Amino acid sequence: GQQLNQSPQSMFIQEGEDVSMNCTSSSIFNTWLWYKQDPGEGPVLLIALYKAGELTSNGRLTAQFGITRKDSFLNISASIPSDVGIYFCAGHDNAGNMLTFGGGTRLMVKP
Amino acid sequence: EPEVTQTPSHQVTQMGQEVILRCVPISNHLYFYWYRQILGQKVEFLVSFYNNEISEKSEIFDDQFSVERPDGSNFTLKIRSTKLEDSAMYFCASSRRTTTGELFFGEGSRLTVL
């Protein structure tokens, strides 16, 4: 099946620092999405990207859909303690109904 | 704000027992999903459901699993004879459309098989 490689697996940063994480795939996706999962809860959609090359912002979050449609990155600027959680990239190929998730990036923010 | 609700939040069961996990999707959504997350691992697709039938399922979703929409609001996942490796967090999700991947997830049901 399709695989998404997400890196880094974890990050431990100081409050106020910027964060960058990315996802790569061996196959093409038509939609890239970024979800955040807080402890004990389900994933919550942060950003959805629909077009190759698209750059989208949501507050302090910025994500880009790679030109090749095989990668995406998520940046978080000026991190705050509530940014703590696990961030998952996900790809959707429109051919089916399923999302393929990356392995997640665990973000820890030191106040 | 509308949300997907799941019950129970945690279920402990003996190996070989049947388990039913329940979900109430967002009311105007038409597409329903179950995903699974083994502790510390990524979220994995199990099954999607539309128009009262399964539209897609993964290799994980074998004959031990079934889904049902018994009425206009509930969506259930049944595991007929649980195995130790079924221990995981099970997430229900729903969406208005199937073409974008914009899913709304519930908070999950943690299943522990002893």
Side-chain angles (χ1 to χ4, degrees):
Chain A
Q2 295 165 320
Q3 297 276 346
L4 291 187
N5 298 307
Q6 187 172 346
S7 63
Q9 285 187 318
S10 63
M11 303 181 74
F12 188 45
I13 62 169
Q14 195 76 35
E15 182 178 359
E17 289 183 353
D18 297 344
V19 169
S20 186
M21 58 193 80
N22 68 80
C23 247
T24 59
S25 169
S26 57
S27 52
I28 288 172
F29 287 105
N30 290 323
T31 306
W32 279 89
L33 307 104
W34 286 91
Y35 284 82
K36 183 190 178 198
Q37 185 178 28
D38 289 328
E41 299 190 11
V44 174
L45 181 64
L46 298 174
I47 289 182
L49 303 153
Y50 304 107
K51 285 171 52 177
E54 179 181 355
L55 184 72
T56 297
S57 292
N58 178 8
R60 293 178 296 104
L61 276 59
T62 302
Q64 183 154 34
F65 190 153
I67 293 288
T68 63
R69 294 197 288 162
K70 293 182 177 181
D71 61 298
S72 176
F73 71 74
L74 174 71
N75 288 341
I76 306 172
S77 62
S79 57
I80 59 178
S82 61
D83 290 334
V84 165
I86 303 176
Y87 292 80
F88 289 99
C89 63
H92 188 263
D93 65 11
N94 292 6
N97 301 302
M98 60 180 283
L99 282 180
T100 300
F101 281 83
T105 296
R106 181 181 296 275
L107 179 63
M108 294 159 280
V109 179
K110 184 177 179 183
Chain B
E1 186 169 321
E3 58 182 18
V4 176
T5 57
Q6 289 185 241
T7 54
S9 56
H10 189 193
Q11 179 150 1
V12 181
T13 189
Q14 294 290 327
M15 192 168 56
Q17 295 294 305
E18 176 183 283
V19 159
I20 297 177
L21 305 178
R22 292 183 168 79
C23 169
V24 179
I26 294 173
S27 61
N28 63 347
H29 285 185
L30 301 176
Y31 301 88
F32 314 119
Y33 312 83
W34 283 100
Y35 282 77
R36 173 182 89 173
Q37 186 179 33
I38 294 171
L39 186 64
Q41 298 186 23
K42 65 180 178 181
V43 179
E44 300 174 290
F45 171 77
L46 292 178
V47 65
S48 59
F49 192 87
Y50 169 70
N51 201 25
N52 280 322
E53 61 183 22
I54 291 173
S55 47
E56 192 171 1
K57 60 183 181 180
S58 72
E59 292 174 353
I60 303 168
F61 195 87
D62 61 21
D63 291 344
Q64 292 300 311
F65 290 88
S66 62
V67 289
E68 193 178 30
R69 188 155 163 83
D71 52 43
S73 58
N74 289 286
F75 178 52
T76 62
L77 173 71
K78 183 193 288 187
I79 309 174
R80 260 182 275 279
S81 178
T82 50
K83 303 187 285 285
L84 294 176
E85 54 264 37
D86 293 329
S87 295
M89 188 75 105
Y90 288 82
F91 291 106
C92 175
S94 67
S95 66
R96 278 191 296 257
R97 297 175 290 173
T98 187
T99 55
T100 64
E102 293 183 28
L103 272 55
F104 291 79
F105 285 85
E107 293 195 342
S109 293
R110 179 171 297 285
L111 176 64
T112 302
V113 182
L114 302 177

